[in-house]
PDB file of all heavy atoms in Angstrom:
ATOM      1  N   LYS J 142      -8.905 114.424  23.907  1.00 93.00           N
ATOM      2  CA  LYS J 142      -8.567 115.630  23.139  1.00 93.00           C
ATOM      3  C   LYS J 142      -7.383 116.356  23.760  1.00 93.00           C
ATOM      4  O   LYS J 142      -6.725 117.173  23.108  1.00 93.00           O
ATOM      5  CB  LYS J 142      -9.772 116.556  23.052  1.00 93.00           C
ATOM      6  CG  LYS J 142     -10.265 117.122  24.383  1.00 93.00           C
ATOM      7  CD  LYS J 142     -11.481 118.022  24.157  1.00 93.00           C
ATOM      8  CE  LYS J 142     -11.982 118.639  25.451  1.00 93.00           C
ATOM      9  NZ  LYS J 142     -12.481 117.617  26.409  1.00 93.00           N
ATOM     10  N   ASN J 143      -7.083 116.061  25.043  1.00 94.00           N
ATOM     11  CA  ASN J 143      -5.943 116.664  25.719  1.00 94.00           C
ATOM     12  C   ASN J 143      -4.694 115.772  25.666  1.00 94.00           C
ATOM     13  O   ASN J 143      -3.687 116.078  26.282  1.00 94.00           O
ATOM     14  CB  ASN J 143      -6.287 116.935  27.181  1.00 94.00           C
ATOM     15  CG  ASN J 143      -7.420 117.922  27.319  1.00 94.00           C
ATOM     16  OD1 ASN J 143      -7.424 118.966  26.674  1.00 94.00           O
ATOM     17  ND2 ASN J 143      -8.409 117.581  28.146  1.00 94.00           N
ATOM     18  N   GLY J 144      -4.797 114.655  24.957  1.00 91.00           N
ATOM     19  CA  GLY J 144      -3.706 113.710  24.928  1.00 91.00           C
ATOM     20  C   GLY J 144      -2.605 114.088  23.952  1.00 91.00           C
ATOM     21  O   GLY J 144      -2.669 115.097  23.236  1.00 91.00           O
ATOM     22  N   LYS J 145      -1.582 113.261  23.956  1.00 91.00           N
ATOM     23  CA  LYS J 145      -0.439 113.432  23.061  1.00 91.00           C
ATOM     24  C   LYS J 145      -0.065 112.076  22.488  1.00 91.00           C
ATOM     25  O   LYS J 145      -0.474 111.036  23.009  1.00 91.00           O
ATOM     26  CB  LYS J 145       0.763 113.995  23.840  1.00 91.00           C
ATOM     27  CG  LYS J 145       0.610 115.423  24.313  1.00 91.00           C
ATOM     28  CD  LYS J 145       1.900 115.878  25.011  1.00 91.00           C
ATOM     29  CE  LYS J 145       1.796 117.336  25.462  1.00 91.00           C
ATOM     30  NZ  LYS J 145       3.053 117.796  26.098  1.00 91.00           N
ATOM     31  N   PRO J 146       0.730 112.071  21.424  1.00 93.00           N
ATOM     32  CA  PRO J 146       1.197 110.793  20.879  1.00 93.00           C
ATOM     33  C   PRO J 146       2.302 110.204  21.767  1.00 93.00           C
ATOM     34  O   PRO J 146       3.480 110.231  21.439  1.00 93.00           O
ATOM     35  CB  PRO J 146       1.716 111.164  19.490  1.00 93.00           C
ATOM     36  CG  PRO J 146       2.108 112.587  19.610  1.00 93.00           C
ATOM     37  CD  PRO J 146       1.133 113.204  20.567  1.00 93.00           C
ATOM     38  N   ARG J 147       1.898 109.711  22.950  1.00 94.00           N
ATOM     39  CA  ARG J 147       2.828 109.135  23.912  1.00 94.00           C
ATOM     40  C   ARG J 147       2.181 107.905  24.553  1.00 94.00           C
ATOM     41  O   ARG J 147       0.963 107.675  24.422  1.00 94.00           O
ATOM     42  CB  ARG J 147       3.171 110.142  25.026  1.00 94.00           C
ATOM     43  CG  ARG J 147       3.822 111.416  24.555  1.00 94.00           C
ATOM     44  CD  ARG J 147       4.212 112.306  25.738  1.00 94.00           C
ATOM     45  NE  ARG J 147       5.308 111.735  26.522  1.00 94.00           N
ATOM     46  CZ  ARG J 147       6.597 111.879  26.193  1.00 94.00           C
ATOM     47  NH1 ARG J 147       6.950 112.554  25.103  1.00 94.00           N
ATOM     48  NH2 ARG J 147       7.535 111.343  26.958  1.00 94.00           N
ATOM     49  N   ARG J 148       2.970 107.159  25.264  1.00 95.00           N
ATOM     50  CA  ARG J 148       2.453 106.090  26.108  1.00 95.00           C
ATOM     51  C   ARG J 148       3.071 106.225  27.501  1.00 95.00           C
ATOM     52  O   ARG J 148       4.241 106.556  27.638  1.00 95.00           O
ATOM     53  CB  ARG J 148       2.767 104.708  25.527  1.00 95.00           C
ATOM     54  CG  ARG J 148       1.905 104.394  24.317  1.00 95.00           C
ATOM     55  CD  ARG J 148       2.054 102.961  23.862  1.00 95.00           C
ATOM     56  NE  ARG J 148       1.178 102.707  22.729  1.00 95.00           N
ATOM     57  CZ  ARG J 148       1.085 101.553  22.100  1.00 95.00           C
ATOM     58  NH1 ARG J 148       1.843 100.525  22.488  1.00 95.00           N
ATOM     59  NH2 ARG J 148       0.269 101.403  21.077  1.00 95.00           N
ATOM     60  N   ILE J 149       2.232 105.982  28.522  1.00 96.00           N
ATOM     61  CA  ILE J 149       2.683 106.026  29.906  1.00 96.00           C
ATOM     62  C   ILE J 149       2.836 104.587  30.401  1.00 96.00           C
ATOM     63  O   ILE J 149       1.961 103.748  30.200  1.00 96.00           O
ATOM     64  CB  ILE J 149       1.692 106.801  30.791  1.00 96.00           C
ATOM     65  CG1 ILE J 149       1.697 108.283  30.394  1.00 96.00           C
ATOM     66  CG2 ILE J 149       2.037 106.642  32.271  1.00 96.00           C
ATOM     67  CD1 ILE J 149       0.679 109.119  31.119  1.00 96.00           C
ATOM     68  N   TYR J 150       3.969 104.331  31.040  1.00 97.00           N
ATOM     69  CA  TYR J 150       4.288 102.995  31.543  1.00 97.00           C
ATOM     70  C   TYR J 150       4.422 103.040  33.069  1.00 97.00           C
ATOM     71  O   TYR J 150       4.740 104.070  33.645  1.00 97.00           O
ATOM     72  CB  TYR J 150       5.615 102.508  30.948  1.00 97.00           C
ATOM     73  CG  TYR J 150       5.608 102.392  29.446  1.00 97.00           C
ATOM     74  CD1 TYR J 150       5.815 103.519  28.648  1.00 97.00           C
ATOM     75  CD2 TYR J 150       5.390 101.166  28.824  1.00 97.00           C
ATOM     76  CE1 TYR J 150       5.808 103.422  27.261  1.00 97.00           C
ATOM     77  CE2 TYR J 150       5.392 101.063  27.436  1.00 97.00           C
ATOM     78  CZ  TYR J 150       5.599 102.192  26.666  1.00 97.00           C
ATOM     79  OH  TYR J 150       5.593 102.092  25.303  1.00 97.00           O
ATOM     80  N   THR J 151       4.169 101.895  33.700  1.00 98.00           N
ATOM     81  CA  THR J 151       4.406 101.784  35.142  1.00 98.00           C
ATOM     82  C   THR J 151       5.415 100.671  35.409  1.00 98.00           C
ATOM     83  O   THR J 151       5.504  99.700  34.656  1.00 98.00           O
ATOM     84  CB  THR J 151       3.119 101.473  35.927  1.00 98.00           C
ATOM     85  OG1 THR J 151       2.691 100.135  35.626  1.00 98.00           O
ATOM     86  CG2 THR J 151       2.026 102.467  35.601  1.00 98.00           C
ATOM     87  N   THR J 152       6.141 100.826  36.482  1.00 97.00           N
ATOM     88  CA  THR J 152       7.031  99.778  36.978  1.00 97.00           C
ATOM     89  C   THR J 152       7.037  99.856  38.491  1.00 97.00           C
ATOM     90  O   THR J 152       6.717 100.903  39.070  1.00 97.00           O
ATOM     91  CB  THR J 152       8.458  99.939  36.412  1.00 97.00           C
ATOM     92  OG1 THR J 152       9.244  98.803  36.796  1.00 97.00           O
ATOM     93  CG2 THR J 152       9.126 101.208  36.922  1.00 97.00           C
ATOM     94  N   ARG J 153       7.368  98.765  39.134  1.00 97.00           N
ATOM     95  CA  ARG J 153       7.384  98.744  40.601  1.00 97.00           C
ATOM     96  C   ARG J 153       8.810  98.844  41.115  1.00 97.00           C
ATOM     97  O   ARG J 153       9.725  98.203  40.590  1.00 97.00           O
ATOM     98  CB  ARG J 153       6.701  97.480  41.139  1.00 97.00           C
ATOM     99  CG  ARG J 153       5.190  97.541  40.993  1.00 97.00           C
ATOM    100  CD  ARG J 153       4.500  96.458  41.802  1.00 97.00           C
ATOM    101  NE  ARG J 153       3.053  96.641  41.749  1.00 97.00           N
ATOM    102  CZ  ARG J 153       2.349  97.355  42.619  1.00 97.00           C
ATOM    103  NH1 ARG J 153       2.978  97.955  43.623  1.00 97.00           N
ATOM    104  NH2 ARG J 153       1.043  97.473  42.507  1.00 97.00           N
ATOM    105  N   VAL J 154       8.986  99.651  42.164  1.00 97.00           N
ATOM    106  CA  VAL J 154      10.298  99.942  42.732  1.00 97.00           C
ATOM    107  C   VAL J 154      10.286  99.527  44.204  1.00 97.00           C
ATOM    108  O   VAL J 154       9.327  99.838  44.926  1.00 97.00           O
ATOM    109  CB  VAL J 154      10.620 101.451  42.609  1.00 97.00           C
ATOM    110  CG1 VAL J 154      11.972 101.767  43.232  1.00 97.00           C
ATOM    111  CG2 VAL J 154      10.576 101.881  41.150  1.00 97.00           C
ATOM    112  N   PRO J 155      11.318  98.827  44.694  1.00 98.00           N
ATOM    113  CA  PRO J 155      11.352  98.445  46.113  1.00 98.00           C
ATOM    114  C   PRO J 155      11.381  99.662  47.027  1.00 98.00           C
ATOM    115  O   PRO J 155      11.982 100.689  46.705  1.00 98.00           O
ATOM    116  CB  PRO J 155      12.634  97.613  46.238  1.00 98.00           C
ATOM    117  CG  PRO J 155      13.447  97.932  45.032  1.00 98.00           C
ATOM    118  CD  PRO J 155      12.480  98.307  43.948  1.00 98.00           C
TER     119      PRO J 155
END
Side-chain angles (χ1 to χ4, degrees):
K142 64 181 182 296
N143 297 313
K145 291 183 178 182
R147 300 184 69 83
R148 287 189 178 180
I149 293 175
Y150 299 82
T151 69
T152 187
R153 286 193 174 269
V154 179

